Structures are given as C-alpha cells and as structure tokens.
Amino acid sequence: MKKIILILFLFFLLYACYIIYNLTEDKNKSITLIGDNIANNPYINNIENISVNNDFINKDYHINDLLNIIKYNQELDIDNKTESIHQILKKSDIVILSIGMNDLYYKLNDNTKEIYTYLNSMINNYELIIKEISRYDYKQVYILGYYNITNNNNDIFTYINYKLSSIAKNYNYTFIDTNKILNNKQEYYKKETNFNLNNKGYYQIFNILVENLKKS
C-alpha cells in the first residue's frame, strides 16, 4: 500500500512539474534571418509571438562574405551592446538563410564560361556556412534556393538547386524551392532585369514559410 501511495505521489509530482513548465515556458520563437535581402522578408515581422533578428542581412553579401562573418564570429554593436553572430545563432529557434544570388547573377551577367566549375565552388563554400551554423540546435532551419528571372539558363538553376537541396537534406534542414514560384515571374521583381523582390514576391515566399513554420 505504501508503495502504491509513493508511486501515486511521484506521478502527481511529475504531472505538477509538467503543468508548471508549460505555464512558465516562453512561447515566443526567435527567428534569425541571415544572408542577402531575399531572406529579409518583411512579412515575417507580422507573425505573432516571434522576435526577428536581421542584423546580419546585407543586400550586397556574397557567399564568402557570410562565410567569413560566421567563421570569424563577427561582432556588431546593437543597442549599445556588443553581440556576435554566434551569440545570435545560439539563441535562435529558427534560422532562415539566403545567400549566393549575388554570386550567381554576377557570373550569369558576365559570362557562363566554366559555369559548372563556378557553381561547384559556390556550393562548396555554401556547405561550409551550413557546417558552421549547424553547431547549434534549432527547431528548424530554412534554406532558400535560387530563382531564375528569365527563361534562359534553366539547366543552371536546376543544377545548383539540386546541389543545395541535397546539402540541406544531409543536415535535416528544409530547402525552399523558390524557383518553382518565382521563375520568370516579372510581377514579383522590382525590376525585370534584377532579382530583387517586390512585396508580391516576398509574400509568395512568406506563404511557403508560414506553412512550414506551423509544423515547427
């Protein structure tokens, strides 16, 4: 009888701890956006119960820029407080990453000579970024793919997105195939000759992210 009472007591004690934990647990999620402006989706700020950090977003970032920032743990002065990118990543529940659009379109606008050697170099350095950020535990990491603003060079985009999605899968991260919704859709770009998105374009990506965020 004493054993039964003891077991019941322990059961109710554990149950009480569970209730207290759920009542006191911070329900807010921290989302960190890193990379180029494609990751800097303005609609994310409208999601309830999240805090968004975009301190390491820059429209001019290339892959090597972001790699060096993370590799050497760059610091920024934010609200009179010094914080490094690794400190930010460590506190993040969710990371949304986009990088390499500048690299890719620089090459496409220059020439496509030895393009696949160039793409492989891009992807190798991209994987180094992913390896750096993978040292921390997140609820989810979303990696945004590359999209084509014309109907040319589709094989190039198919190739690099396949490579990137394979890396994401190896790390159990979620690859977002932006090319499926933004490919040659001029109504989603600020200018027909540039990959920068307008609000309609950002909203298309946001819809996909929201569906995935509901599962995380």
Side-chain angles (χ1 to χ4, degrees), residues 3-105:
K3 288 184 178 180
I4 295 174
I5 293 174
L6 179 61
I7 291 171
L8 289 174
F9 174 76
L10 291 174
F11 172 79
F12 284 114
L13 181 62
L14 290 172
Y15 182 73
C17 290
Y18 173 79
I19 294 297
I20 292 171
Y21 172 79
N22 279 276
L23 288 175
T24 58
E25 183 189 19
D26 184 2
K27 298 298 183 180
N28 290 340
K29 290 181 180 178
S30 172
I31 297 182
T32 296
L33 314 175
I34 56 175
D36 55 41
N37 255 4
I38 309 306
N40 198 24
N41 196 307
Y43 293 100
I44 292 175
N45 292 293
N46 297 327
I47 303 175
E48 292 184 357
N49 299 321
I50 69 157
S51 60
V52 179
N53 184 296
N54 64 353
D55 293 323
F56 286 94
I57 286 282
N58 190 305
K59 65 181 180 64
D60 297 321
Y61 277 168
H62 287 71
I63 289 176
N64 282 339
D65 297 324
L66 186 61
L67 176 58
N68 288 328
I69 286 168
I70 299 176
K71 185 176 180 180
Y72 298 108
N73 197 21
Q74 181 175 317
E75 296 180 338
L76 292 177
D77 289 326
I78 305 166
D79 298 328
N80 298 318
K81 179 183 177 182
T82 300
E83 196 162 29
S84 72
I85 188 166
H86 280 283
Q87 287 175 314
I88 293 171
L89 289 171
K90 187 176 181 179
K91 295 186 295 185
S92 301
D93 295 309
I94 296 167
V95 173
I96 299 175
L97 169 62
S98 171
I99 194 67
M101 291 291 282
N102 287 311
D103 304 71
L104 182 53
Y105 277 90

Side-chain angles (χ1 to χ4, degrees), residues 55-159:
D55 293 323
F56 286 94
I57 286 282
N58 190 305
K59 65 181 180 64
D60 297 321
Y61 277 168
H62 287 71
I63 289 176
N64 282 339
D65 297 324
L66 186 61
L67 176 58
N68 288 328
I69 286 168
I70 299 176
K71 185 176 180 180
Y72 298 108
N73 197 21
Q74 181 175 317
E75 296 180 338
L76 292 177
D77 289 326
I78 305 166
D79 298 328
N80 298 318
K81 179 183 177 182
T82 300
E83 196 162 29
S84 72
I85 188 166
H86 280 283
Q87 287 175 314
I88 293 171
L89 289 171
K90 187 176 181 179
K91 295 186 295 185
S92 301
D93 295 309
I94 296 167
V95 173
I96 299 175
L97 169 62
S98 171
I99 194 67
M101 291 291 282
N102 287 311
D103 304 71
L104 182 53
Y105 277 90
Y106 169 81
K107 183 65 174 177
L108 292 176
N109 292 333
D110 182 26
N111 65 76
T112 56
K113 184 179 179 180
E114 298 181 349
I115 184 66
Y116 287 98
T117 300
Y118 182 85
L119 296 180
N120 288 334
S121 178
M122 279 181 59
I123 288 297
N124 288 340
N125 287 332
Y126 203 130
E127 186 168 12
L128 293 177
I129 292 174
I130 294 175
K131 185 177 180 179
E132 285 288 329
I133 70 172
S134 69
R135 66 176 68 185
Y136 302 114
D137 293 325
Y138 313 99
K139 292 184 183 297
Q140 189 58 273
V141 174
Y142 300 102
I143 296 174
L144 305 184
Y146 302 105
Y147 56 88
N148 190 0
I149 65 173
T150 72
N151 203 31
N152 302 319
N153 301 313
N154 284 321
D155 55 332
I156 290 173
F157 285 86
T158 298
Y159 178 82

